[in-house]
Short mmCIF file of all heavy atoms in Angstrom, two decimals:
data_model
loop_
_atom_site.label_atom_id
_atom_site.label_comp_id
_atom_site.label_asym_id
_atom_site.label_seq_id
_atom_site.Cartn_x
_atom_site.Cartn_y
_atom_site.Cartn_z
N THR V 110 -27.17 92.53 25.33
CA THR V 110 -26.62 93.71 25.99
C THR V 110 -27.45 94.17 27.17
O THR V 110 -27.04 95.01 27.95
CB THR V 110 -26.44 94.90 25.02
OG1 THR V 110 -27.72 95.32 24.57
CG2 THR V 110 -25.57 94.49 23.84
N LEU V 111 -28.65 93.59 27.29
CA LEU V 111 -29.58 94.03 28.32
C LEU V 111 -29.71 93.09 29.51
O LEU V 111 -30.09 93.51 30.60
CB LEU V 111 -30.99 94.24 27.70
CG LEU V 111 -31.07 95.28 26.60
CD1 LEU V 111 -32.46 95.27 25.97
CD2 LEU V 111 -30.69 96.65 27.11
N PHE V 112 -29.46 91.78 29.31
CA PHE V 112 -29.68 90.82 30.40
C PHE V 112 -29.01 89.51 30.15
O PHE V 112 -28.85 89.08 29.02
CB PHE V 112 -31.21 90.57 30.52
CG PHE V 112 -31.55 89.69 31.71
CD1 PHE V 112 -31.59 90.18 32.97
CD2 PHE V 112 -31.88 88.34 31.49
CE1 PHE V 112 -31.89 89.35 34.06
CE2 PHE V 112 -32.17 87.49 32.58
CZ PHE V 112 -32.18 88.02 33.83
N GLY V 113 -28.59 88.87 31.25
CA GLY V 113 -28.22 87.46 31.19
C GLY V 113 -26.74 87.12 31.30
O GLY V 113 -26.42 85.93 31.41
N HIS V 114 -25.85 88.09 31.27
CA HIS V 114 -24.43 87.79 31.33
C HIS V 114 -23.77 88.42 32.56
O HIS V 114 -24.26 89.39 33.11
CB HIS V 114 -23.73 88.31 30.06
CG HIS V 114 -24.37 87.85 28.81
ND1 HIS V 114 -24.16 86.60 28.28
CD2 HIS V 114 -25.25 88.45 27.98
CE1 HIS V 114 -24.87 86.44 27.20
NE2 HIS V 114 -25.55 87.56 26.98
N GLN V 115 -22.64 87.83 32.93
CA GLN V 115 -21.87 88.46 34.03
C GLN V 115 -21.20 89.73 33.57
O GLN V 115 -21.12 90.72 34.30
CB GLN V 115 -20.82 87.48 34.55
CG GLN V 115 -21.39 86.24 35.22
CD GLN V 115 -20.32 85.21 35.53
OE1 GLN V 115 -19.14 85.52 35.57
NE2 GLN V 115 -20.76 83.98 35.77
N LYS V 116 -20.74 89.72 32.30
CA LYS V 116 -20.05 90.91 31.78
C LYS V 116 -20.28 91.00 30.28
O LYS V 116 -20.30 90.02 29.57
CB LYS V 116 -18.54 90.79 32.07
CG LYS V 116 -17.76 92.03 31.67
CD LYS V 116 -16.40 92.10 32.30
CE LYS V 116 -15.71 93.43 32.03
NZ LYS V 116 -14.46 93.55 32.76
N VAL V 117 -20.42 92.28 29.84
CA VAL V 117 -20.52 92.57 28.42
C VAL V 117 -19.37 93.53 28.04
O VAL V 117 -19.11 94.49 28.76
CB VAL V 117 -21.86 93.25 28.07
CG1 VAL V 117 -21.89 93.65 26.60
CG2 VAL V 117 -23.02 92.32 28.37
N TYR V 118 -18.70 93.19 26.94
CA TYR V 118 -17.66 94.06 26.38
C TYR V 118 -18.22 94.70 25.10
O TYR V 118 -18.71 94.00 24.23
CB TYR V 118 -16.41 93.27 26.01
CG TYR V 118 -15.61 92.76 27.19
CD1 TYR V 118 -15.83 91.52 27.70
CD2 TYR V 118 -14.57 93.54 27.72
CE1 TYR V 118 -15.07 91.02 28.76
CE2 TYR V 118 -13.81 93.04 28.78
CZ TYR V 118 -14.06 91.79 29.28
OH TYR V 118 -13.31 91.32 30.34
N TYR V 119 -18.08 96.01 24.99
CA TYR V 119 -18.42 96.78 23.77
C TYR V 119 -17.09 97.17 23.13
O TYR V 119 -16.34 97.98 23.67
CB TYR V 119 -19.24 97.99 24.12
CG TYR V 119 -20.52 97.70 24.81
CD1 TYR V 119 -20.60 97.60 26.20
CD2 TYR V 119 -21.68 97.45 24.06
CE1 TYR V 119 -21.76 97.28 26.84
CE2 TYR V 119 -22.87 97.14 24.71
CZ TYR V 119 -22.93 97.04 26.08
OH TYR V 119 -24.09 96.75 26.72
N VAL V 120 -16.81 96.63 21.96
CA VAL V 120 -15.53 96.86 21.28
C VAL V 120 -15.80 97.83 20.12
O VAL V 120 -16.49 97.50 19.15
CB VAL V 120 -14.94 95.54 20.77
CG1 VAL V 120 -13.58 95.79 20.15
CG2 VAL V 120 -14.87 94.52 21.88
N ILE V 121 -15.29 99.07 20.24
CA ILE V 121 -15.77 100.14 19.34
C ILE V 121 -14.58 100.90 18.74
O ILE V 121 -13.73 101.46 19.43
CB ILE V 121 -16.66 101.13 20.15
CG1 ILE V 121 -17.80 100.37 20.83
CG2 ILE V 121 -17.15 102.26 19.27
CD1 ILE V 121 -18.64 101.21 21.79
N GLY V 122 -14.56 100.95 17.40
CA GLY V 122 -13.58 101.71 16.66
C GLY V 122 -13.96 103.18 16.57
O GLY V 122 -15.12 103.55 16.77
N GLU V 123 -13.00 104.02 16.24
CA GLU V 123 -13.24 105.46 16.27
C GLU V 123 -14.22 105.94 15.23
O GLU V 123 -14.82 107.03 15.36
CB GLU V 123 -11.92 106.22 16.21
CG GLU V 123 -11.17 106.09 14.92
CD GLU V 123 -9.82 106.83 14.94
OE1 GLU V 123 -9.45 107.36 16.00
OE2 GLU V 123 -9.16 106.83 13.89
N ASN V 124 -14.43 105.17 14.18
CA ASN V 124 -15.41 105.56 13.16
C ASN V 124 -16.85 105.53 13.67
O ASN V 124 -17.73 106.14 13.05
CB ASN V 124 -15.30 104.65 11.92
CG ASN V 124 -15.40 103.19 12.25
OD1 ASN V 124 -14.67 102.69 13.12
ND2 ASN V 124 -16.26 102.47 11.56
N LYS V 125 -17.10 104.90 14.80
CA LYS V 125 -18.46 104.81 15.38
C LYS V 125 -18.79 106.01 16.24
O LYS V 125 -19.95 106.21 16.65
CB LYS V 125 -18.60 103.54 16.26
CG LYS V 125 -18.17 102.28 15.61
CD LYS V 125 -19.08 101.85 14.51
CE LYS V 125 -18.71 100.47 13.94
NZ LYS V 125 -18.98 99.36 14.85
N LEU V 126 -17.79 106.85 16.53
CA LEU V 126 -17.98 107.94 17.50
C LEU V 126 -18.58 109.19 16.84
O LEU V 126 -18.14 109.61 15.77
CB LEU V 126 -16.64 108.30 18.12
CG LEU V 126 -16.61 109.29 19.27
CD1 LEU V 126 -17.48 108.82 20.42
CD2 LEU V 126 -15.19 109.51 19.74
N GLU V 127 -19.61 109.72 17.47
CA GLU V 127 -20.28 110.93 17.01
C GLU V 127 -20.33 111.95 18.17
O GLU V 127 -20.28 111.58 19.33
CB GLU V 127 -21.69 110.65 16.54
CG GLU V 127 -21.75 109.78 15.29
CD GLU V 127 -21.30 110.49 14.02
OE1 GLU V 127 -21.22 111.74 14.03
OE2 GLU V 127 -21.01 109.82 13.02
N PRO V 128 -20.41 113.24 17.87
CA PRO V 128 -20.30 114.26 18.92
C PRO V 128 -21.46 114.32 19.88
O PRO V 128 -21.30 114.82 20.99
CB PRO V 128 -20.15 115.56 18.14
CG PRO V 128 -20.61 115.30 16.78
CD PRO V 128 -20.40 113.85 16.52
N ASP V 129 -22.66 113.87 19.47
CA ASP V 129 -23.81 113.93 20.39
C ASP V 129 -24.79 112.82 20.11
O ASP V 129 -24.64 112.05 19.13
CB ASP V 129 -24.51 115.31 20.33
CG ASP V 129 -24.99 115.65 18.93
OD1 ASP V 129 -25.59 114.78 18.27
OD2 ASP V 129 -24.80 116.79 18.51
N PHE V 130 -25.80 112.69 20.95
CA PHE V 130 -26.76 111.60 20.89
C PHE V 130 -27.49 111.59 19.54
O PHE V 130 -27.65 110.53 18.90
CB PHE V 130 -27.75 111.72 22.04
CG PHE V 130 -28.87 110.73 21.97
CD1 PHE V 130 -28.65 109.38 22.19
CD2 PHE V 130 -30.14 111.14 21.72
CE1 PHE V 130 -29.69 108.44 22.13
CE2 PHE V 130 -31.21 110.25 21.63
CZ PHE V 130 -30.96 108.86 21.86
N GLU V 131 -27.98 112.75 19.10
CA GLU V 131 -28.74 112.82 17.86
C GLU V 131 -27.95 112.35 16.65
O GLU V 131 -28.42 111.61 15.81
CB GLU V 131 -29.28 114.24 17.62
CG GLU V 131 -30.38 114.65 18.59
CD GLU V 131 -29.88 115.01 19.99
OE1 GLU V 131 -28.65 115.28 20.15
OE2 GLU V 131 -30.71 115.02 20.92
N LYS V 132 -26.68 112.77 16.60
CA LYS V 132 -25.83 112.36 15.47
C LYS V 132 -25.48 110.88 15.58
O LYS V 132 -25.31 110.19 14.57
CB LYS V 132 -24.55 113.22 15.44
CG LYS V 132 -24.81 114.63 14.93
CD LYS V 132 -23.52 115.43 14.82
CE LYS V 132 -23.74 116.75 14.14
NZ LYS V 132 -24.53 117.68 14.93
N ALA V 133 -25.36 110.35 16.79
CA ALA V 133 -25.10 108.91 16.96
C ALA V 133 -26.27 108.09 16.46
O ALA V 133 -26.10 107.08 15.77
CB ALA V 133 -24.77 108.61 18.40
N VAL V 134 -27.49 108.51 16.81
CA VAL V 134 -28.69 107.78 16.31
C VAL V 134 -28.73 107.88 14.78
O VAL V 134 -29.01 106.90 14.11
CB VAL V 134 -29.97 108.38 16.95
CG1 VAL V 134 -31.20 107.82 16.26
CG2 VAL V 134 -29.99 108.07 18.43
N ALA V 135 -28.45 109.04 14.25
CA ALA V 135 -28.44 109.21 12.80
C ALA V 135 -27.40 108.32 12.13
O ALA V 135 -27.66 107.71 11.07
CB ALA V 135 -28.17 110.67 12.42
N ARG V 136 -26.26 108.18 12.75
CA ARG V 136 -25.23 107.27 12.21
C ARG V 136 -25.72 105.82 12.20
O ARG V 136 -25.57 105.11 11.22
CB ARG V 136 -23.92 107.37 13.01
CG ARG V 136 -22.85 106.51 12.38
CD ARG V 136 -21.69 106.13 13.27
NE ARG V 136 -20.64 105.54 12.39
CZ ARG V 136 -20.66 104.30 11.97
NH1 ARG V 136 -21.66 103.46 12.30
NH2 ARG V 136 -19.71 103.84 11.18
N ALA V 137 -26.31 105.39 13.30
CA ALA V 137 -26.78 104.01 13.40
C ALA V 137 -27.83 103.73 12.35
O ALA V 137 -27.81 102.70 11.70
CB ALA V 137 -27.33 103.75 14.80
#
Side-chain angles (χ1 to χ4, degrees):
T110 65
L111 299 175
F112 184 78
H114 306 282
Q115 293 172 18
K116 185 163 187 174
V117 176
Y118 289 91
Y119 300 89
V120 185
I121 305 173
E123 65 184 4
N124 53 308
K125 310 290 185 71
L126 187 58
E127 293 290 343
D129 58 45
F130 174 69
E131 290 75 19
K132 286 185 173 67
V134 170
R136 184 200 191 279

